[in-house]
Amino acid sequence: MIISNFNKEAAKAIQFACERKSEYNPIYIYGQRGSGKTEIIKEIFNKFKGKKMILTPSEFCEKSIEDINRNDLLIIEDIGLIRPNKENEKKLISLMNKFFEEGRQIVLTGVYEPDKLPFNEEIVNKIKRGITLKIYPLDDEDKKLLFRNYAPDLDEGMQQNILKSEVSTVKEFFGYLNNIRTYKKKEGEKPLTQSNVFKEFIKEIENDMPETLKKGSVEEELREEYRAKLYVWKMKGFRCDRVESVIDGNIEDITREFVTFTTNVQRLIELQRRYGSIDQSIIPKEEKSQIEERLFNPEDIPELEETIARYELLSEIRRNVAKYINWDKSFDDYVVSEPNKEAYDFVIDIIDNPRQKGVYLIEGCMGCGKTEIVNLLAQGLFKMYPDVTFLFYKFEYLISRDYPEYISENIDVILIDDVDMFINKSGWEKFESIINRCSNRLCIFTLTKYPRAEKFNEYVDNSRIVKIRKPDRRILKKMLEDVENIKGIDLTLETEKDILDKAKGGFYDLEALVSLQLSKGLSREETTDLREKSIKNRPEAIDKLKRRGHELIDGIAQEFQDDDFRLGKEI
């Protein structure tokens, strides 16, 4: 195996994986398709002493956990192609936990860096806990080393052609090389020329395209073989104008165009594969037909690569957004009443016209329903406007990631829940880096009632505050149903009425009251333990809420600050 600049980092995986109880687990190797990942994992597989298994994505889905668990080394190729459903993610997590716990090695390969894999955050974090190794595009030194080892007799002119080409992976290099394949000069043969290279290539394809060659000069024989190959390409739909223009010309020119064209066809086939993996709903119909036509034209490769890369990013963003939306909630279940009507009307207006611009704050007290209303907005945009690209972030996601990288000109709408929590954790300056990217787009943030909400207009031009007020009894009743569903309980009508009468806040107040009701069934020992934990955590909880500047719900605030903490007192 050749080790050079492009793969010397990833080649370390061979040593790491073969060390028992390696500190690097899992090992994740990523790089472009054809960059040499398979070569490295084959080396690992051959050198590893113990039970071992290599799985493709489809094999991973088919194999049972029991079969996989019998191995000391597990290698999964192209992990990003495993369908990210609940069953597969659960299986992957279970295997990772088992292998890590028992000190057995996992090696994964993929095309993207860990944060761009289509799995839930738990899997991504498990991958990142090990070591990530990248295979880089080939540089000139890499190509020269490959020449010395695999094509030492290739003439200088052809070497320069490959050095100047856009070949960036080992697979592309050998594909290019195979098209101008050379053989070592045997005794008595003519010196190596492009014509000889072309003749050798033609011999290789004769088995695939048996045909009676016309008698005549060597050049005419080559030309006829070439015309036959050209016919096949045209039948497959590829545009061959440039090659056809030189078919009757100098054989050297034909050879040069032939080599370039076959390399470009390989690139088009790869672009077709990438295009097929994109969420087609995000591409406008007119542009879709244009792309599909250009996927057969070698002249359009640079523009195609740019277009497909852009839609790959947007498709990835859409997949990530889908993971953060709560699909268990819907507009059909939503209760509209006076306290939330302003916010509800605002959300409906946005869904009717998502192309508007501006910065909006949905502001209200804790538990009043801000997260639910912005989640419904995300649902509506996702279902009705696949061509509208939007981000939907919880504040925890923003804190843990380099968020500005995604906020490009391609993003139409930005939704951020609990933005005050982000500001408190990361500071106003970091939030400004998001605000500065909000011009010429629609940005909607939720914010708990907080002094900065009233001053937001001072910081952000063209902003508006949309208020959600303390829930009334109709909304509280629906919230109580949600609490019961979450906890898997069914309270009596009398108990529900009692809780609703006591509730002085929103969802979290109801949660506390339901927990209080449930605690009445605890033993004395369990009650004492719960009370001690509550009292122990009380100062920290009060201090945290005060720092956030929230207007505490009266009922809960009283429970925390009263020495006769109600949980202990009533039990």
Side-chain angles (χ1 to χ4, degrees):
M1 187 179 91
I2 296 294
I3 296 179
S4 187
N5 298 334
F6 74 101
N7 69 349
K8 64 183 179 182
E9 175 185 309
K12 297 174 184 176
I14 300 170
Q15 176 187 345
F16 295 155
C18 294
E19 293 176 353
R20 290 292 181 162
K21 303 289 184 182
S22 169
E23 61 180 303
Y24 303 113
N25 202 9
I27 297 170
Y28 179 59
I29 305 167
Y30 77 98
Q32 300 176 62
R33 299 195 183 281
S35 58
K37 301 184 292 295
T38 300
E39 193 70 22
I40 290 176
I41 63 173
K42 283 181 179 177
E43 286 286 319
I44 293 172
F45 191 81
N46 292 333
K47 292 184 178 182
F48 186 87
K49 306 298 183 185
K51 292 183 178 180
K52 49 199 173 183
M53 177 181 280
I54 295 181
L55 297 175
T56 63
S58 59
E59 289 169 342
F60 172 83
C61 298
E62 293 167 1
K63 288 279 184 182
S64 67
I65 289 182
E66 292 73 21
D67 286 344
I68 299 174
N69 256 328
R70 295 190 183 102
N71 295 278
D72 302 310
L73 169 67
L74 171 62
I75 300 175
I76 304 177
E77 293 188 271
D78 284 323
I79 189 172
L81 297 181
I82 294 175
R83 186 179 294 277
N85 55 37
K86 289 183 179 179
E87 182 181 350
N88 287 339
E89 289 184 336
K90 183 179 178 182
K91 182 177 181 179
L92 198 52
I93 290 169
S94 173
L95 284 167
M96 284 181 167
N97 289 339
K98 192 72 173 173
F99 270 72
F100 297 161
E101 181 183 334
E102 297 176 1
R104 294 181 286 147
Q105 186 67 52
I106 293 179
V107 179
L108 310 168
T109 71
V111 176
Y112 303 109
E113 58 190 76
D115 281 331
K116 294 184 178 180
L117 291 170
F119 302 115
N120 62 39
E121 194 166 357
E122 182 178 359
I123 292 176
V124 171
N125 287 337
K126 286 181 183 295
I127 292 173
K128 289 165 69 175
R129 63 157 264 177
I131 186 170
T132 298
L133 303 170
K134 181 178 180 179
I135 299 181
Y136 296 90
L138 298 178
D139 60 25
D140 286 353
E141 290 303 314
D142 298 326
K143 294 175 187 177
K144 289 175 183 177
L145 180 61
L146 291 170
F147 283 137
R148 288 197 295 271
N149 283 273
Y150 296 103
D153 296 333
L154 194 66
D155 68 40
E156 184 65 26
M158 290 189 176
Q159 288 192 27
Q160 287 301 318
N161 283 343
I162 295 182
L163 287 174
K164 292 176 182 178
S165 72
E166 296 181 4
V167 168
S168 62
T169 68
V170 175
K171 184 177 181 180
E172 288 177 354
F173 177 89
F174 284 109
Y176 205 117
L177 195 60
N178 284 338
N179 288 338
I180 54 172
R181 194 160 188 175
T182 183
Y183 50 92
K184 290 187 177 180
K185 184 175 62 173
K186 297 178 183 177
E187 189 174 351
E189 284 184 341
K190 295 179 181 179
L192 185 65
T193 66
Q194 287 187 340
S195 295
N196 289 337
V197 170
F198 187 81
K199 285 171 65 179
E200 183 66 15
F201 179 75
I202 293 301
K203 289 177 183 177
E204 290 179 1
I205 64 172
E206 280 183 358
N207 291 333
D208 296 328
M209 300 184 59
E211 208 176 310
T212 303
L213 297 177
K214 293 182 181 179
K215 294 181 179 181
S217 67
V218 172
E219 287 190 3
E220 284 305 312
E221 289 177 0
L222 296 176
R223 224 182 293 274
E224 288 304 315
E225 280 290 339
Y226 184 74
R227 285 194 178 101
K229 186 67 175 176
L230 188 62
Y231 175 77
V232 173
W233 285 327
K234 291 182 71 174
M235 289 295 291
K236 290 183 177 181
F238 291 103
R239 292 281 299 275
C240 305
D241 301 359
R242 186 163 174 172
V243 181
E244 285 182 306
S245 69
V246 298
I247 190 68
D248 296 318
N250 184 285
I251 195 66
E252 301 292 335
D253 293 336
I254 298 174
T255 304
R256 191 179 302 109
E257 287 298 334
F258 177 86
V259 169
T260 301
F261 185 81
T262 51
T263 301
N264 285 336
V265 167
Q266 291 174 358
R267 292 171 67 188
L268 285 172
I269 291 170
E270 173 62 15
L271 287 170
Q272 290 169 6
R273 184 200 63 77
R274 288 169 56 189
Y275 174 74
S277 67
I278 293 171
D279 182 347
Q280 299 294 303
S281 67
I282 67 175
I283 307 176
K285 288 184 179 179
E286 290 184 4
E287 188 173 3
K288 187 184 297 186
S289 61
Q290 292 173 2
I291 292 173
E292 289 171 0
E293 182 178 346
R294 293 165 67 192
L295 280 168
F296 291 88
N297 189 353
E299 303 296 325
D300 290 334
I301 285 177
E303 294 80 5
L304 270 173
E305 286 181 332
E306 183 179 335
T307 300
I308 288 175
R310 176 164 58 88
Y311 279 118
E312 281 176 329
L313 174 61
L314 299 183
S315 188
E316 177 194 348
I317 290 172
R318 184 168 168 83
R319 284 195 300 269
N320 286 336
V321 165
K323 291 193 295 187
Y324 285 96
I325 294 175
N326 180 359
W327 297 102
D328 294 332
K329 300 284 187 178
S330 70
F331 279 100
D332 294 338
D333 302 326
Y334 192 71
V335 174
V336 181
S337 191
E338 190 59 35
N340 62 10
K341 191 174 187 310
E342 180 185 355
Y344 177 81
D345 290 342
F346 165 74
V347 164
I348 295 300
D349 179 60
I350 295 296
I351 291 176
D352 286 343
N353 179 23
R355 303 290 183 183
Q356 55 187 285
K357 299 171 185 177
V359 179
Y360 298 89
L361 286 177
I362 299 177
E363 180 260 341
C365 62
M366 284 181 65
C368 67
K370 302 183 299 296
T371 297
E372 183 175 7
I373 195 72
V374 79
N375 182 77
L376 292 177
L377 173 56
Q379 270 192 36
L381 293 176
F382 191 94
K383 291 178 179 178
M384 297 177 64
Y385 302 98
D387 59 327
V388 171
T389 305
F390 69 99
L391 302 178
F392 181 33
Y393 284 154
K394 307 289 185 179
F395 81 92
E396 300 97 327
Y397 184 93
L398 289 178
I399 290 169
S400 63
R401 282 167 172 74
D402 185 20
Y403 50 86
E405 64 175 315
Y406 280 119
I407 305 178
S408 65
E409 293 303 317
N410 295 319
I411 305 301
D412 302 307
V413 182
I414 301 172
L415 309 177
I416 301 178
D417 192 23
D418 287 328
V419 75
D420 51 324
M421 293 288 284
F422 172 73
I423 295 171
N424 287 345
K425 291 278 187 180
S426 302
W428 180 259
E429 288 184 4
K430 285 192 175 182
F431 183 60
E432 275 190 315
S433 66
I434 296 178
I435 292 296
N436 291 337
R437 294 167 180 259
C438 288
S439 59
N440 298 320
R441 73 188 78 219
L442 176 64
C443 300
I444 300 169
F445 311 128
T446 71
L447 181 76
T448 302
K449 194 171 183 181
Y450 187 56
R452 188 172 278 124
E454 300 301 330
K455 299 180 180 180
F456 205 79
N457 288 315
E458 299 175 15
Y459 295 97
V460 183
D461 295 332
N462 192 27
S463 65
R464 169 190 162 192
I465 296 176
V466 178
K467 294 183 179 293
I468 297 183
R469 293 170 176 77
K470 190 170 74 171
D472 60 16
R473 197 173 183 91
R474 280 188 64 210
I475 298 173
L476 284 173
K477 187 174 181 180
K478 180 63 175 67
M479 288 181 172
L480 182 55
E481 289 177 12
D482 292 339
V483 172
E484 291 181 60
N485 289 333
I486 291 169
K487 294 184 177 293
I489 58 173
D490 187 13
L491 300 175
T492 65
L493 293 176
E494 184 180 352
T495 303
E496 286 181 351
K497 181 178 182 304
D498 182 53
I499 289 174
L500 291 172
D501 289 340
K502 291 179 180 178
K504 298 180 181 178
F507 183 86
Y508 301 112
D509 192 13
L510 292 170
E511 259 193 335
L513 291 168
V514 170
S515 295
L516 178 63
Q517 184 67 34
L518 293 176
S519 69
K520 292 181 179 180
L522 298 176
S523 66
R524 179 174 295 278
E525 182 179 338
E526 290 171 324
T527 302
T528 303
D529 181 57
L530 181 59
R531 185 177 188 278
E532 286 175 355
K533 286 181 180 178
S534 301
I535 294 173
K536 180 180 178 181
N537 294 331
R538 181 182 57 190
E540 180 183 351
I542 292 174
D543 186 52
K544 178 180 178 182
L545 290 169
K546 282 183 176 178
R547 284 200 310 271
R548 287 181 59 181
H550 288 131
E551 290 187 356
L552 298 176
I553 302 167
D554 294 338
I556 295 180
Q558 184 61 38
E559 288 174 6
F560 273 96
Q561 297 180 33
D562 192 340
D563 286 335
D564 292 324
F565 187 49
R566 193 167 75 192
L567 179 59
K569 182 177 178 182
E570 293 198 7
I571 295 174

